[in-house]
Amino acid sequence: MTAPKKPWSARTLAAQAMGVTDPLTKAVVPPIHVATTYIRDEDNAYSSGYVYGRPDNATTREAEDVLAMLEGGKAAFLFGSGMAAATAVFQALDPGDHVVAPTVMYWALRHWLANEAKRWGLVVDFVDTTDLDALRAAVTPGRTRLVWIETPSNPLWTITDIAAAAEIAHAAGARLAVDSTTASPYHSQPLALGADIVMHAATKILNGHSDVVAGALVTAAEDDFWARITTIRRGQGGILGPFEAYLLMRGMRTFHLRAAAQSASAATLAERLAAHPAVAKVLYPGLPDHPGHAVAARQMAHGFGYMLSIRLAAGEQAAIATAAKVELWKRATSLGGVESLIEHRASIEGAGSPCPTDLLRLSVGIEDPQDLYDDLSSALERATGRG
Ligand SMILES: *Cc1c(COP(=O)(O)O)cnc(C)c1O
């Protein structure tokens, strides 16, 4: 008798992209399936399961299998961007449905919810989801259909209690969806904490190389709501193309190594920058003085992620000047890549943003953390005279 197959760890399965190889050549990297159409059987059936390139693609499906595994979900869909994935969830609701979303969240999605969602007939309320009493008060049984949270949330890295939010949503007959982009499956598995759907901007650390725009949804159950999302993904043509899916899968093979290194460096930088004379405040859930630290410590594993922000004692112009003076950090939007990025976030978020103007957002890559500290510390000193 052969021994039962070991339940391999997520890291092992991701490294081998679920162990898929090519049966024709025995290649350890499966080919990219580029066909848009497939041969019908003589009896008119499609026995391979593939019909046309818009509803489905084998390479995209391989990457979706990795994502479903990483999140412990039943199924996953990849979309052409994180925004396409997120908006598919809202489009799966019915006109008149009530949605609760956080005040601090990814800016473009907040903008879409505030300005576009009402055209779909949705009623959206924004609430501080870190405050469970406020969340409870914002949810109406029978009327609220979806609670959306993001944790840690852009760009203040506030923490929402996922298990408590799931309980509140479910008690009202609503679903909980979590934008887990910045936690990533390395630190957090929202489905295991009671969430119904997890969304990722796979553009970020899952791909990790700043060369693919992609979004993902992973579901806890293949229920009616997932069926709606399936119809939307297939009908509206939101599928991620096979070349991008291949690159994403290649990125996910090293995801655990990158996430571990980036989160360790972010923690080191958070601690060191907190002691820098030009820095008034470091926002990082790994720091004990962060208001969400206790909840983060409970619901995140292996650390607190690769994102942090700093607030400058000398204000907005000093923040912009610091970003102008770095040499190693790249002055750019986005996050999660192997290269570290710095951004004056208020400039991009515009009016109505909860982002303070003295804030610089830092996405920590895989460079030597000493180099990252030296470069930023020197820029801070040259911009503010404090070092
Ligand atoms: C980038 C990002 C998104 C949007 O993803 P795109 O791929 O840029 O559309 C959504 N949520 C968070 C937290 C993000 O960082």
Side-chain angles (χ1 to χ4, degrees):
M1 217 180 93
T2 51
K5 206 168 179 185
K6 212 172 166 283
W8 308 117
S9 71
R11 173 179 167 170
T12 299
L13 291 168
Q16 298 195 358
M18 310 303 286
V20 177
T21 54
D22 176 31
L24 180 67
T25 63
K26 310 274 186 204
V28 296
V29 178
I32 303 174
H33 290 275
V34 297
T36 55
T37 193
Y38 303 84
I39 311 270
R40 246 184 210 274
D41 304 332
E42 283 177 18
D43 65 0
N44 224 24
Y46 278 110
S47 56
S48 76
Y50 293 94
V51 177
Y52 181 57
R54 190 188 65 233
D56 215 345
N57 173 277
T59 303
T60 309
R61 218 189 258 187
E62 283 166 12
E64 288 167 348
D65 288 346
V66 177
L67 279 156
M69 177 278 295
L70 287 174
E71 287 294 357
K74 283 278 185 301
F77 275 134
L78 276 165
F79 292 79
S81 70
M83 282 297 290
T87 52
V89 176
F90 297 104
Q91 288 171 8
L93 296 166
D94 287 324
D97 282 356
H98 179 234
V99 171
V100 173
T103 44
V104 180
M105 67 184 295
Y106 179 69
W107 180 247
L109 185 54
R110 187 181 196 285
H111 190 267
W112 189 88
L113 286 171
N115 297 289
E116 301 296 320
K118 58 174 172 278
R119 293 168 171 261
W120 294 83
L122 299 179
V123 182
V124 184
D125 277 322
F126 294 95
V127 61
D128 175 4
T129 56
T130 69
D131 177 346
L132 295 175
D133 289 333
L135 178 58
R136 216 171 272 117
V139 166
T140 314
R143 174 172 171 254
T144 308
R145 294 295 173 208
L146 184 75
V147 174
W148 183 275
I149 62 171
E150 178 180 323
T151 183
S153 72
N154 253 290
L156 307 178
W157 319 117
T158 57
I159 299 293
T160 295
D161 185 328
I162 299 170
E167 236 179 85
I168 292 168
H170 294 162
R175 287 186 166 78
L176 177 72
V178 181
D179 181 341
S180 194
T181 300
T182 61
S184 91
Y186 181 68
H187 297 294
S188 174
Q189 264 85 33
L191 300 182
L193 296 168
D196 301 285
I197 291 196
V198 177
M199 175 251 152
H200 284 287
T203 310
K204 312 296 168 55
I205 197 167
L206 282 168
N207 179 61
H209 295 77
S210 306
D211 55 7
V212 170
V213 174
L217 297 177
V218 187
T219 187
E222 293 186 276
D223 54 11
D224 293 355
F225 194 63
W226 189 250
R228 284 285 308 136
I229 289 172
T230 303
T231 301
I232 288 164
R233 215 284 299 254
R234 295 189 168 168
Q236 295 186 187
I239 191 170
L240 185 69
F243 292 103
E244 282 81 2
Y246 161 76
L247 275 174
L248 171 60
M249 206 156 29
R250 175 181 161 130
M252 288 192 293
R253 289 174 186 266
T254 58
F255 162 64
H256 288 80
L257 298 179
R258 289 183 287 100
Q262 290 174 239
S263 143
S265 291
T268 302
L269 287 170
E271 244 174 64
R272 294 193 66 185
L273 289 166
H276 196 286
V279 175
K281 187 90 192 146
V282 175
L283 308 178
Y284 185 63
L287 294 178
D289 72 346
H290 186 281
H293 179 68
V295 175
R298 204 165 63 230
Q299 71 185 17
M300 296 175 81
H302 322 299
F304 299 88
Y306 56 96
M307 295 303 298
L308 67 147
S309 295
I310 56 174
R311 297 187 61 180
L312 267 66
E316 177 173 13
Q317 288 315 312
I320 293 170
T322 300
K325 288 186 191 309
V326 290
E327 289 167 16
L328 182 59
W329 293 77
K330 300 285 177 252
R331 197 166 40 255
T333 197
S334 198
L335 45 110
V338 290
E339 64 288 302
S340 294
L341 306 179
I342 187 167
E343 184 179 34
H344 181 252
R345 193 67 200 159
S347 310
I348 198 162
E349 297 205 355
S353 160
C355 179
T357 56
D358 58 10
L359 179 144
L360 287 171
R361 187 178 80 174
L362 307 177
S363 171
V364 181
I366 62 167
E367 305 93 334
D368 185 333
Q370 182 68 48
D371 290 342
L372 292 172
Y373 180 80
D374 288 347
D375 183 45
L376 185 51
S377 171
S378 152
L380 282 165
E381 189 173 346
R382 281 177 290 135
T384 68
R386 299 183 216 189

